[in-house]
mmCIF file with all atom_site columns, all heavy atoms in Angstrom:
data_model
loop_
_atom_site.group_PDB
_atom_site.id
_atom_site.type_symbol
_atom_site.label_atom_id
_atom_site.label_alt_id
_atom_site.label_comp_id
_atom_site.label_asym_id
_atom_site.label_entity_id
_atom_site.label_seq_id
_atom_site.pdbx_PDB_ins_code
_atom_site.Cartn_x
_atom_site.Cartn_y
_atom_site.Cartn_z
_atom_site.occupancy
_atom_site.B_iso_or_equiv
_atom_site.pdbx_formal_charge
_atom_site.auth_seq_id
_atom_site.auth_comp_id
_atom_site.auth_asym_id
_atom_site.auth_atom_id
_atom_site.pdbx_PDB_model_num
ATOM 1   N N   . MET A 1 1   ? -126.941 -226.237 151.831 1.00 0.00 ? 1   MET A N   1
ATOM 2   C CA  . MET A 1 1   ? -125.501 -226.512 151.661 1.00 0.00 ? 1   MET A CA  1
ATOM 3   C C   . MET A 1 1   ? -124.782 -225.229 151.295 1.00 0.00 ? 1   MET A C   1
ATOM 4   O O   . MET A 1 1   ? -125.053 -224.631 150.269 1.00 0.00 ? 1   MET A O   1
ATOM 5   C CB  . MET A 1 1   ? -125.304 -227.553 150.572 1.00 0.00 ? 1   MET A CB  1
ATOM 6   C CG  . MET A 1 1   ? -124.063 -228.375 150.777 1.00 0.00 ? 1   MET A CG  1
ATOM 7   S SD  . MET A 1 1   ? -124.014 -229.808 149.712 1.00 0.00 ? 1   MET A SD  1
ATOM 8   C CE  . MET A 1 1   ? -123.686 -229.104 148.130 1.00 0.00 ? 1   MET A CE  1
ATOM 9   N N   . LYS A 1 2   ? -123.908 -224.836 152.156 1.00 0.00 ? 2   LYS A N   1
ATOM 10  C CA  . LYS A 1 2   ? -123.218 -223.573 151.956 1.00 0.00 ? 2   LYS A CA  1
ATOM 11  C C   . LYS A 1 2   ? -121.720 -223.742 152.153 1.00 0.00 ? 2   LYS A C   1
ATOM 12  O O   . LYS A 1 2   ? -121.288 -224.557 152.958 1.00 0.00 ? 2   LYS A O   1
ATOM 13  C CB  . LYS A 1 2   ? -123.728 -222.525 152.946 1.00 0.00 ? 2   LYS A CB  1
ATOM 14  C CG  . LYS A 1 2   ? -125.054 -221.886 152.561 1.00 0.00 ? 2   LYS A CG  1
ATOM 15  C CD  . LYS A 1 2   ? -125.031 -220.441 152.969 1.00 0.00 ? 2   LYS A CD  1
ATOM 16  C CE  . LYS A 1 2   ? -126.327 -219.736 152.637 1.00 0.00 ? 2   LYS A CE  1
ATOM 17  N NZ  . LYS A 1 2   ? -126.770 -219.874 151.261 1.00 0.00 ? 2   LYS A NZ  1
ATOM 18  N N   . LEU A 1 3   ? -120.966 -222.933 151.431 1.00 0.00 ? 3   LEU A N   1
ATOM 19  C CA  . LEU A 1 3   ? -119.546 -222.837 151.706 1.00 0.00 ? 3   LEU A CA  1
ATOM 20  C C   . LEU A 1 3   ? -119.397 -222.065 153.020 1.00 0.00 ? 3   LEU A C   1
ATOM 21  O O   . LEU A 1 3   ? -120.122 -221.112 153.278 1.00 0.00 ? 3   LEU A O   1
ATOM 22  C CB  . LEU A 1 3   ? -118.865 -222.061 150.572 1.00 0.00 ? 3   LEU A CB  1
ATOM 23  C CG  . LEU A 1 3   ? -117.709 -222.732 149.861 1.00 0.00 ? 3   LEU A CG  1
ATOM 24  C CD1 . LEU A 1 3   ? -118.148 -224.067 149.285 1.00 0.00 ? 3   LEU A CD1 1
ATOM 25  C CD2 . LEU A 1 3   ? -117.158 -221.854 148.780 1.00 0.00 ? 3   LEU A CD2 1
ATOM 26  N N   . GLU A 1 83  ? -112.226 -226.412 152.864 1.00 0.00 ? 83  GLU A N   1
ATOM 27  C CA  . GLU A 1 83  ? -113.410 -227.133 153.334 1.00 0.00 ? 83  GLU A CA  1
ATOM 28  C C   . GLU A 1 83  ? -113.064 -228.448 154.018 1.00 0.00 ? 83  GLU A C   1
ATOM 29  O O   . GLU A 1 83  ? -113.914 -229.071 154.642 1.00 0.00 ? 83  GLU A O   1
ATOM 30  C CB  . GLU A 1 83  ? -114.358 -227.415 152.164 1.00 0.00 ? 83  GLU A CB  1
ATOM 31  C CG  . GLU A 1 83  ? -115.078 -226.193 151.664 1.00 0.00 ? 83  GLU A CG  1
ATOM 32  C CD  . GLU A 1 83  ? -116.087 -225.643 152.664 1.00 0.00 ? 83  GLU A CD  1
ATOM 33  O OE1 . GLU A 1 83  ? -116.745 -226.429 153.334 1.00 0.00 ? 83  GLU A OE1 1
ATOM 34  O OE2 . GLU A 1 83  ? -116.182 -224.406 152.762 1.00 0.00 ? 83  GLU A OE2 1
ATOM 35  N N   . GLY A 1 87  ? -116.421 -236.220 154.487 1.00 0.00 ? 87  GLY A N   1
ATOM 36  C CA  . GLY A 1 87  ? -117.612 -236.479 153.685 1.00 0.00 ? 87  GLY A CA  1
ATOM 37  C C   . GLY A 1 87  ? -118.735 -235.523 154.003 1.00 0.00 ? 87  GLY A C   1
ATOM 38  O O   . GLY A 1 87  ? -118.656 -234.740 154.948 1.00 0.00 ? 87  GLY A O   1
ATOM 39  N N   . LEU A 1 88  ? -119.777 -235.580 153.187 1.00 0.00 ? 88  LEU A N   1
ATOM 40  C CA  . LEU A 1 88  ? -120.917 -234.672 153.348 1.00 0.00 ? 88  LEU A CA  1
ATOM 41  C C   . LEU A 1 88  ? -121.783 -235.042 154.542 1.00 0.00 ? 88  LEU A C   1
ATOM 42  O O   . LEU A 1 88  ? -122.486 -234.204 155.084 1.00 0.00 ? 88  LEU A O   1
ATOM 43  C CB  . LEU A 1 88  ? -121.786 -234.706 152.085 1.00 0.00 ? 88  LEU A CB  1
ATOM 44  C CG  . LEU A 1 88  ? -121.278 -233.925 150.891 1.00 0.00 ? 88  LEU A CG  1
ATOM 45  C CD1 . LEU A 1 88  ? -122.083 -234.282 149.655 1.00 0.00 ? 88  LEU A CD1 1
ATOM 46  C CD2 . LEU A 1 88  ? -121.369 -232.441 151.162 1.00 0.00 ? 88  LEU A CD2 1
ATOM 47  N N   . PRO A 1 98  ? -124.664 -249.740 157.708 1.00 0.00 ? 98  PRO A N   1
ATOM 48  C CA  . PRO A 1 98  ? -124.144 -250.882 156.933 1.00 0.00 ? 98  PRO A CA  1
ATOM 49  C C   . PRO A 1 98  ? -124.942 -251.198 155.674 1.00 0.00 ? 98  PRO A C   1
ATOM 50  O O   . PRO A 1 98  ? -124.413 -251.770 154.739 1.00 0.00 ? 98  PRO A O   1
ATOM 51  C CB  . PRO A 1 98  ? -124.207 -252.044 157.930 1.00 0.00 ? 98  PRO A CB  1
ATOM 52  C CG  . PRO A 1 98  ? -124.953 -251.569 159.114 1.00 0.00 ? 98  PRO A CG  1
ATOM 53  C CD  . PRO A 1 98  ? -125.006 -250.097 159.092 1.00 0.00 ? 98  PRO A CD  1
ATOM 54  N N   . GLU A 1 108 ? -119.921 -239.595 145.228 1.00 0.00 ? 108 GLU A N   1
ATOM 55  C CA  . GLU A 1 108 ? -119.823 -239.419 143.774 1.00 0.00 ? 108 GLU A CA  1
ATOM 56  C C   . GLU A 1 108 ? -120.225 -237.999 143.385 1.00 0.00 ? 108 GLU A C   1
ATOM 57  O O   . GLU A 1 108 ? -119.582 -237.358 142.546 1.00 0.00 ? 108 GLU A O   1
ATOM 58  C CB  . GLU A 1 108 ? -120.726 -240.439 143.076 1.00 0.00 ? 108 GLU A CB  1
ATOM 59  C CG  . GLU A 1 108 ? -120.607 -240.415 141.558 1.00 0.00 ? 108 GLU A CG  1
ATOM 60  C CD  . GLU A 1 108 ? -121.643 -241.321 140.890 1.00 0.00 ? 108 GLU A CD  1
ATOM 61  O OE1 . GLU A 1 108 ? -122.117 -242.274 141.548 1.00 0.00 ? 108 GLU A OE1 1
ATOM 62  O OE2 . GLU A 1 108 ? -121.966 -241.063 139.715 1.00 0.00 ? 108 GLU A OE2 1
ATOM 63  N N   . TYR A 1 120 ? -110.973 -225.072 136.945 1.00 0.00 ? 120 TYR A N   1
ATOM 64  C CA  . TYR A 1 120 ? -110.765 -223.620 136.961 1.00 0.00 ? 120 TYR A CA  1
ATOM 65  C C   . TYR A 1 120 ? -109.552 -223.272 137.816 1.00 0.00 ? 120 TYR A C   1
ATOM 66  O O   . TYR A 1 120 ? -109.213 -223.988 138.751 1.00 0.00 ? 120 TYR A O   1
ATOM 67  C CB  . TYR A 1 120 ? -111.997 -222.907 137.530 1.00 0.00 ? 120 TYR A CB  1
ATOM 68  C CG  . TYR A 1 120 ? -113.190 -222.910 136.609 1.00 0.00 ? 120 TYR A CG  1
ATOM 69  C CD1 . TYR A 1 120 ? -114.193 -223.857 136.751 1.00 0.00 ? 120 TYR A CD1 1
ATOM 70  C CD2 . TYR A 1 120 ? -113.303 -221.963 135.604 1.00 0.00 ? 120 TYR A CD2 1
ATOM 71  C CE1 . TYR A 1 120 ? -115.289 -223.865 135.902 1.00 0.00 ? 120 TYR A CE1 1
ATOM 72  C CE2 . TYR A 1 120 ? -114.403 -221.964 134.759 1.00 0.00 ? 120 TYR A CE2 1
ATOM 73  C CZ  . TYR A 1 120 ? -115.386 -222.919 134.915 1.00 0.00 ? 120 TYR A CZ  1
ATOM 74  O OH  . TYR A 1 120 ? -116.468 -222.919 134.081 1.00 0.00 ? 120 TYR A OH  1
ATOM 75  N N   . MET B 1 1   ? -117.685 -228.513 153.917 1.00 0.00 ? 1   MET B N   1
ATOM 76  C CA  . MET B 1 1   ? -119.010 -228.508 153.301 1.00 0.00 ? 1   MET B CA  1
ATOM 77  C C   . MET B 1 1   ? -119.775 -229.753 153.731 1.00 0.00 ? 1   MET B C   1
ATOM 78  O O   . MET B 1 1   ? -119.352 -230.860 153.454 1.00 0.00 ? 1   MET B O   1
ATOM 79  C CB  . MET B 1 1   ? -118.874 -228.473 151.788 1.00 0.00 ? 1   MET B CB  1
ATOM 80  C CG  . MET B 1 1   ? -120.014 -227.769 151.107 1.00 0.00 ? 1   MET B CG  1
ATOM 81  S SD  . MET B 1 1   ? -119.660 -227.408 149.413 1.00 0.00 ? 1   MET B SD  1
ATOM 82  C CE  . MET B 1 1   ? -119.772 -229.035 148.661 1.00 0.00 ? 1   MET B CE  1
ATOM 83  N N   . LYS B 1 2   ? -120.848 -229.520 154.366 1.00 0.00 ? 2   LYS B N   1
ATOM 84  C CA  . LYS B 1 2   ? -121.616 -230.656 154.889 1.00 0.00 ? 2   LYS B CA  1
ATOM 85  C C   . LYS B 1 2   ? -123.086 -230.507 154.548 1.00 0.00 ? 2   LYS B C   1
ATOM 86  O O   . LYS B 1 2   ? -123.592 -229.391 154.449 1.00 0.00 ? 2   LYS B O   1
ATOM 87  C CB  . LYS B 1 2   ? -121.469 -230.730 156.410 1.00 0.00 ? 2   LYS B CB  1
ATOM 88  C CG  . LYS B 1 2   ? -120.168 -231.322 156.877 1.00 0.00 ? 2   LYS B CG  1
ATOM 89  C CD  . LYS B 1 2   ? -120.411 -232.118 158.149 1.00 0.00 ? 2   LYS B CD  1
ATOM 90  C CE  . LYS B 1 2   ? -119.137 -232.747 158.678 1.00 0.00 ? 2   LYS B CE  1
ATOM 91  N NZ  . LYS B 1 2   ? -118.418 -233.577 157.736 1.00 0.00 ? 2   LYS B NZ  1
ATOM 92  N N   . LEU B 1 3   ? -123.734 -231.638 154.391 1.00 0.00 ? 3   LEU B N   1
ATOM 93  C CA  . LEU B 1 3   ? -125.190 -231.637 154.320 1.00 0.00 ? 3   LEU B CA  1
ATOM 94  C C   . LEU B 1 3   ? -125.718 -231.320 155.718 1.00 0.00 ? 3   LEU B C   1
ATOM 95  O O   . LEU B 1 3   ? -125.165 -231.793 156.707 1.00 0.00 ? 3   LEU B O   1
ATOM 96  C CB  . LEU B 1 3   ? -125.672 -233.024 153.887 1.00 0.00 ? 3   LEU B CB  1
ATOM 97  C CG  . LEU B 1 3   ? -126.569 -233.116 152.658 1.00 0.00 ? 3   LEU B CG  1
ATOM 98  C CD1 . LEU B 1 3   ? -125.877 -232.483 151.466 1.00 0.00 ? 3   LEU B CD1 1
ATOM 99  C CD2 . LEU B 1 3   ? -126.931 -234.541 152.359 1.00 0.00 ? 3   LEU B CD2 1
ATOM 100 N N   . GLU B 1 83  ? -132.225 -228.863 151.042 1.00 0.00 ? 83  GLU B N   1
ATOM 101 C CA  . GLU B 1 83  ? -131.121 -227.909 151.166 1.00 0.00 ? 83  GLU B CA  1
ATOM 102 C C   . GLU B 1 83  ? -131.507 -226.510 150.690 1.00 0.00 ? 83  GLU B C   1
ATOM 103 O O   . GLU B 1 83  ? -130.768 -225.555 150.897 1.00 0.00 ? 83  GLU B O   1
ATOM 104 C CB  . GLU B 1 83  ? -129.903 -228.393 150.366 1.00 0.00 ? 83  GLU B CB  1
ATOM 105 C CG  . GLU B 1 83  ? -129.205 -229.580 150.960 1.00 0.00 ? 83  GLU B CG  1
ATOM 106 C CD  . GLU B 1 83  ? -128.513 -229.244 152.280 1.00 0.00 ? 83  GLU B CD  1
ATOM 107 O OE1 . GLU B 1 83  ? -127.972 -228.144 152.407 1.00 0.00 ? 83  GLU B OE1 1
ATOM 108 O OE2 . GLU B 1 83  ? -128.540 -230.091 153.183 1.00 0.00 ? 83  GLU B OE2 1
ATOM 109 N N   . GLY B 1 87  ? -127.642 -220.183 146.672 1.00 0.00 ? 87  GLY B N   1
ATOM 110 C CA  . GLY B 1 87  ? -126.285 -220.436 146.218 1.00 0.00 ? 87  GLY B CA  1
ATOM 111 C C   . GLY B 1 87  ? -125.356 -220.819 147.365 1.00 0.00 ? 87  GLY B C   1
ATOM 112 O O   . GLY B 1 87  ? -125.729 -220.738 148.528 1.00 0.00 ? 87  GLY B O   1
ATOM 113 N N   . LEU B 1 88  ? -124.163 -221.237 147.003 1.00 0.00 ? 88  LEU B N   1
ATOM 114 C CA  . LEU B 1 88  ? -123.195 -221.688 147.993 1.00 0.00 ? 88  LEU B CA  1
ATOM 115 C C   . LEU B 1 88  ? -122.615 -220.536 148.787 1.00 0.00 ? 88  LEU B C   1
ATOM 116 O O   . LEU B 1 88  ? -122.146 -220.708 149.902 1.00 0.00 ? 88  LEU B O   1
ATOM 117 C CB  . LEU B 1 88  ? -122.053 -222.437 147.294 1.00 0.00 ? 88  LEU B CB  1
ATOM 118 C CG  . LEU B 1 88  ? -122.347 -223.852 146.847 1.00 0.00 ? 88  LEU B CG  1
ATOM 119 C CD1 . LEU B 1 88  ? -121.257 -224.340 145.937 1.00 0.00 ? 88  LEU B CD1 1
ATOM 120 C CD2 . LEU B 1 88  ? -122.445 -224.744 148.061 1.00 0.00 ? 88  LEU B CD2 1
ATOM 121 N N   . GLU B 1 108 ? -121.857 -223.572 138.716 1.00 0.00 ? 108 GLU B N   1
ATOM 122 C CA  . GLU B 1 108 ? -121.619 -224.681 137.786 1.00 0.00 ? 108 GLU B CA  1
ATOM 123 C C   . GLU B 1 108 ? -121.256 -225.954 138.555 1.00 0.00 ? 108 GLU B C   1
ATOM 124 O O   . GLU B 1 108 ? -121.734 -227.047 138.231 1.00 0.00 ? 108 GLU B O   1
ATOM 125 C CB  . GLU B 1 108 ? -120.489 -224.307 136.818 1.00 0.00 ? 108 GLU B CB  1
ATOM 126 C CG  . GLU B 1 108 ? -120.260 -225.343 135.742 1.00 0.00 ? 108 GLU B CG  1
ATOM 127 C CD  . GLU B 1 108 ? -119.023 -225.032 134.892 1.00 0.00 ? 108 GLU B CD  1
ATOM 128 O OE1 . GLU B 1 108 ? -118.615 -223.847 134.837 1.00 0.00 ? 108 GLU B OE1 1
ATOM 129 O OE2 . GLU B 1 108 ? -118.463 -225.983 134.308 1.00 0.00 ? 108 GLU B OE2 1
ATOM 130 N N   . TYR B 1 120 ? -129.907 -240.619 140.422 1.00 0.00 ? 120 TYR B N   1
ATOM 131 C CA  . TYR B 1 120 ? -130.262 -241.696 141.350 1.00 0.00 ? 120 TYR B CA  1
ATOM 132 C C   . TYR B 1 120 ? -131.666 -241.478 141.893 1.00 0.00 ? 120 TYR B C   1
ATOM 133 O O   . TYR B 1 120 ? -132.132 -240.354 142.009 1.00 0.00 ? 120 TYR B O   1
ATOM 134 C CB  . TYR B 1 120 ? -129.273 -241.744 142.517 1.00 0.00 ? 120 TYR B CB  1
ATOM 135 C CG  . TYR B 1 120 ? -127.908 -242.256 142.143 1.00 0.00 ? 120 TYR B CG  1
ATOM 136 C CD1 . TYR B 1 120 ? -126.887 -241.379 141.841 1.00 0.00 ? 120 TYR B CD1 1
ATOM 137 C CD2 . TYR B 1 120 ? -127.653 -243.616 142.094 1.00 0.00 ? 120 TYR B CD2 1
ATOM 138 C CE1 . TYR B 1 120 ? -125.618 -241.837 141.493 1.00 0.00 ? 120 TYR B CE1 1
ATOM 139 C CE2 . TYR B 1 120 ? -126.402 -244.097 141.751 1.00 0.00 ? 120 TYR B CE2 1
ATOM 140 C CZ  . TYR B 1 120 ? -125.383 -243.193 141.454 1.00 0.00 ? 120 TYR B CZ  1
ATOM 141 O OH  . TYR B 1 120 ? -124.151 -243.656 141.106 1.00 0.00 ? 120 TYR B OH  1
ATOM 142 N N   . ARG B 1 128 ? -130.943 -252.389 149.428 1.00 0.00 ? 128 ARG B N   1
ATOM 143 C CA  . ARG B 1 128 ? -130.653 -253.575 150.239 1.00 0.00 ? 128 ARG B CA  1
ATOM 144 C C   . ARG B 1 128 ? -131.783 -253.793 151.236 1.00 0.00 ? 128 ARG B C   1
ATOM 145 O O   . ARG B 1 128 ? -131.617 -253.724 152.454 1.00 0.00 ? 128 ARG B O   1
ATOM 146 C CB  . ARG B 1 128 ? -129.335 -253.388 150.988 1.00 0.00 ? 128 ARG B CB  1
ATOM 147 C CG  . ARG B 1 128 ? -128.173 -253.181 150.040 1.00 0.00 ? 128 ARG B CG  1
ATOM 148 C CD  . ARG B 1 128 ? -126.873 -253.056 150.788 1.00 0.00 ? 128 ARG B CD  1
ATOM 149 N NE  . ARG B 1 128 ? -125.900 -252.334 149.968 1.00 0.00 ? 128 ARG B NE  1
ATOM 150 C CZ  . ARG B 1 128 ? -124.765 -251.859 150.417 1.00 0.00 ? 128 ARG B CZ  1
ATOM 151 N NH1 . ARG B 1 128 ? -124.448 -252.011 151.689 1.00 0.00 ? 128 ARG B NH1 1
ATOM 152 N NH2 . ARG B 1 128 ? -123.942 -251.217 149.618 1.00 0.00 ? 128 ARG B NH2 1
#
Side-chain angles (χ1 to χ4, degrees):
Chain A
M1 209 168 72
K2 281 216 181 308
L3 235 57
E83 288 292 322
L88 282 169
E108 185 187 336
Y120 288 97
Chain B
M1 210 167 73
K2 282 215 180 305
L3 235 56
E83 289 292 323
L88 283 168
E108 185 187 337
Y120 288 96
R128 300 182 203 167

